[in-house]
Amino acid sequence: MIDNLVAQGCDRIFCVPGESYLAALDALHDTPEIDLVVCRQEGGVAYMAEADGKLTGRPGVAFVTRGPGATNASIGIHVAMQDSTPMILLIGDVARGDRDREGFQEIDFSAMFGPLCKWVGRIDDAARIPEYVARAYSTALSGRPGPVVLVLPEDMLKDEADATDRPKVFSPPQAADPLAMTTLMDLLKDATAPIAIVGGAGWDAGASHYFTEFAERIGLPLAAAFRRQDAIPNSSSVYAGNLGYGPNPRLVERVKKADLLLVVGARLGEATTDGYTLITPDHPGQTLVHVHPDPNELGRVYRTDLPICADPHEFAEFATSWEDEILSFDDGAQAHKEWLEWTSAQRREGVALDLGQVVMQMRDALPADSIICNGAGNFSGWWHRYWHYAALPSQLAPTNGSMGYGMPASVAASLRFPERQAVCVAGDGDFLMNGQEISTGVRYGANLLVIIVDNQSYGTIRMHQERDYPERLSGTDLVNPDFAVLARAYGAWAETVERTEDFAPALARAQEQKGVKLLHLKTDVEIITNSTTISALRERAKQ
């Protein structure tokens, strides 16, 4: 089993140990090619593996035990599916002869994970391990990338069998059809206000490089899909910003007025399209060209005028090599100017700790290629708006809005790119979903900065609550620990910050430290988002 993971290029496994896969753990003892990262809860395990898949483009690998271990890890499978991330979850299971007796921690994994992943496989015959492992990698990588679950009966892992390791598999190349590309270029010639929305399935550094080159050549505005802000270097002269929650109103208007929508890699999900309203499934008056590596996505939700089933890298390389004349547009430069204005935070008077200024100070102090990792919550909106993301990968954030992601993802990022600065940005409610993984970061010497935004509230839910039921607070307030003291208990360096003017010096002191550093930012829940307050929401509700 372990030999075949090595054959597929696996160099790291995230796990919580379990008696159901002791034989595999024993094999890992003699496998220096694989770095075994031991975590503190299976949710953290799965998040780290999913993040590793985003970072490498190869399946991140997680190993957990049956029953409770698998159910805890299911959250990472959901993230990987909605984020189109290649991932493999290996689950130790009950012995083959004990199936269907509701044995100790037994679960029907096909029924449980079937709707959550691309494929659930169960290996009952040790001789077929190479076949199943190769198929798992192929399935995770091909078409729309995603998660695969492999179930491993504990007695099967002890069997002896003759088998030949299979060679490393890759996603099959999917070039864009030349006739479709000709049609696309003709549509661009006829367009007056085109815009591209990029990032998602199959998007990689090559796609980013080539498509940026193509878009800059013709002045095509490039918008990032929700939480795909690193798909294009934000320094690009045609980068127009991101869609999702709280986008630039000028970008929203630009999308509404576009006569040609070129969507590459993105699924046009609910968040990117503001609940399928910014771009409606039938998008009257707009032509939609959808480029995606999975034919099942083309036309699935949206009426597609020109579907192109292609790998985004292959498509982008084809586009940039196009030699025939294409009209150039002024929109790209104007859209980028509007984005620069939108991402320049102005000091808010009367706010003790201004998160907009915090992000601006981080931009000044941290390397441009820092990897920003966050889970779900209104706190993330400040970084989504004001941080300038560099080349892929520099953003790890779940498009399914999963809380607790930032801490484990940042550990995975630090281990994968130790020479770069990994940053976990978490809200107080968000952090305590998986805050124990700070221990994993300390254990493995992660170069990691943790920013906790503490407003003693489940802020996003509080925001919706104030919109729908103003001044009727219920279930959203929190009582928190002293996060700086908690971090020091885990072995990290930590400070608390309560004023804007104290943040930059505290950040400088943090940068002088090695290992895991944590800054506990105490903020006012009144400043509920980067663009509104609770008081304003209440006033609006009265109108």
Side-chain angles (χ1 to χ4, degrees):
M1 182 71 212
I2 303 305
D3 283 348
N4 276 273
L5 291 173
V6 172
Q8 294 303 327
C10 175
D11 63 357
R12 178 165 292 139
I13 293 176
F14 302 92
C15 82
V16 167
E19 72 276 10
S20 63
Y21 66 97
L22 284 177
L25 286 172
D26 185 66
L28 285 165
H29 182 273
D30 300 320
T31 309
E33 300 94 329
I34 293 181
D35 177 26
L36 185 65
V37 179
V38 181
C39 306
R40 307 311 297 263
Q41 204 258 15
E42 291 89 356
V45 169
Y47 277 146
M48 289 190 201
E50 193 277 342
D52 204 48
K54 278 193 174 88
L55 292 165
T56 65
R58 297 285 295 179
V61 180
F63 223 137
V64 300
T65 195
R66 59 200 176 212
T71 52
N72 282 339
S74 64
I75 190 168
I77 293 295
H78 187 235
V79 172
M81 191 65 187
Q82 291 220 327
D83 285 40
S84 302
T85 305
M87 175 183 170
I88 295 174
L89 176 64
L90 305 169
I91 304 174
D93 196 21
V94 299
R96 288 166 290 188
D98 294 335
R99 285 190 68 189
D100 301 327
R101 291 175 171 172
E102 198 183 342
F104 181 60
Q105 299 182 339
E106 183 181 5
I107 287 178
D108 182 341
F109 291 115
S110 292
M112 174 183 171
F113 284 107
L116 292 178
C117 68
K118 294 186 71 176
W119 176 55
V120 181
R122 179 184 178 87
I123 310 178
D124 287 321
D125 181 356
R128 296 183 65 185
I129 285 175
E131 171 193 343
Y132 273 86
V133 172
R135 179 179 172 185
Y137 271 81
S138 179
T139 302
L141 289 166
S142 300
R144 176 187 170 188
V148 166
V149 174
L150 279 184
V151 183
L152 311 172
E154 59 183 336
D155 59 328
M156 183 279 297
L157 289 172
K158 299 176 183 178
D159 283 352
E160 294 185 4
D162 292 327
T164 301
D165 297 345
R166 290 206 176 181
K168 187 175 182 178
V169 300
F170 298 91
S171 178
Q174 292 175 272
D177 176 64
L179 180 59
M181 293 299 291
T182 300
T183 304
L184 168 61
M185 298 306 170
D186 288 340
L187 289 171
L188 281 169
K189 289 178 183 178
D190 292 337
T192 58
I195 190 168
I197 301 171
V198 301
W203 193 271
D204 61 12
S208 176
H209 169 76
Y210 289 117
F211 201 68
T212 300
E213 183 178 308
F214 169 72
E216 289 178 348
R217 176 157 63 95
I218 67 171
L220 176 67
L222 295 180
F226 177 56
R227 291 186 163 175
R228 308 291 193 183
Q229 288 168 254
D230 61 350
I232 296 294
N234 293 181
S235 58
S236 168
S237 60
V238 294
Y239 180 69
N242 63 293
L243 297 173
Y245 301 115
N248 184 350
R250 290 187 178 182
L251 176 58
V252 170
E253 284 304 308
R254 189 173 293 278
V255 173
K256 287 180 178 179
K257 294 177 180 178
D259 58 350
L260 175 62
L261 301 167
L262 173 56
V263 180
V264 187
R267 293 178 50 242
L268 289 181
E270 180 180 358
T272 297
T273 62
D274 192 18
Y276 307 101
T277 60
L278 175 59
I279 305 171
T280 65
D282 289 305
H283 49 87
Q286 294 179 312
T287 298
L288 173 62
V289 179
H290 197 179
V291 183
H292 199 279
D294 193 333
N296 293 316
E297 284 298 322
L298 298 171
R300 177 182 175 189
V301 176
Y302 281 82
R303 176 183 62 77
T304 306
D305 299 287
L306 177 60
I308 301 177
C309 188
D311 175 83
H313 184 142
E314 299 278 346
F315 167 82
E317 188 170 3
F318 197 147
T320 199
S321 65
W322 193 264
E323 296 181 352
D324 289 352
E325 182 182 359
I326 306 175
L327 295 177
S328 59
F329 305 92
D330 297 328
D331 294 13
Q334 181 60 34
H336 186 63
K337 180 181 178 182
E338 293 168 357
W339 173 78
L340 288 172
E341 294 172 355
W342 173 250
T343 60
S344 180
Q346 304 302 311
R347 180 68 184 264
R348 300 181 71 164
E349 298 299 326
V351 178
L353 182 53
D354 185 341
L355 290 178
Q357 295 305 305
V358 163
V359 181
M360 298 293 283
Q361 291 168 14
M362 288 176 63
R363 277 169 46 183
D364 290 339
L366 297 182
D369 68 349
S370 296
I371 305 172
I372 307 298
C373 313
N374 63 265
N378 277 3
F379 68 90
S380 64
W382 275 272
W383 279 263
H384 289 354
R385 176 172 176 178
Y386 297 120
W387 183 262
H388 288 189
Y389 292 86
L392 191 78
S394 59
Q395 182 182 41
L396 294 177
T399 66
N400 77 335
S402 184
M403 294 181 71
Y405 180 87
M407 187 67 239
S410 63
V411 173
S414 179
L415 296 181
R416 182 56 64 185
F417 294 109
E419 73 284 0
R420 294 171 63 182
Q421 177 64 68
V423 182
C424 166
V425 182
D428 45 348
D430 178 68
F431 179 77
L432 283 182
M433 295 280 182
N434 270 303
Q436 73 281 350
E437 299 306 341
I438 196 172
S439 173
T440 308
V442 170
R443 174 180 178 177
Y444 293 99
N447 173 33
L448 177 56
L449 173 64
V450 182
I451 306 288
I452 297 182
V453 180
D454 177 7
N455 63 4
Q456 297 190 314
S457 177
Y458 285 121
T460 303
I461 311 307
R462 174 72 182 274
M463 175 187 67
H464 291 296
Q465 192 172 63
E466 293 287 357
R467 284 173 173 168
D468 294 341
Y469 306 98
E471 301 184 62
R472 292 180 59 80
L473 181 63
S474 177
T476 53
D477 60 332
L478 296 171
V479 176
N480 289 322
D482 185 324
F483 288 108
V485 172
L486 181 64
R488 288 192 285 269
Y490 277 114
W493 178 93
E495 279 192 17
T496 298
V497 179
E498 299 187 48
R499 300 185 306 167
T500 304
E501 55 266 33
D502 295 334
F503 177 78
L507 178 60
R509 289 189 291 272
Q511 288 179 279
E512 294 172 353
Q513 310 300 317
K514 294 182 179 180
V516 180
K517 294 82 66 173
L518 183 144
L519 293 177
H520 175 196
L521 276 53
K522 290 188 174 182
T523 63
D524 187 351
V525 71
E526 165 68 11
I527 314 301
I528 197 66
T529 74
N530 62 61
S531 59
T532 193
T533 63
I534 286 179
S535 296
L537 291 175
R538 289 177 175 178
E539 284 299 316
R540 196 172 303 148
K542 293 177 182 178
Q543 297 174 359

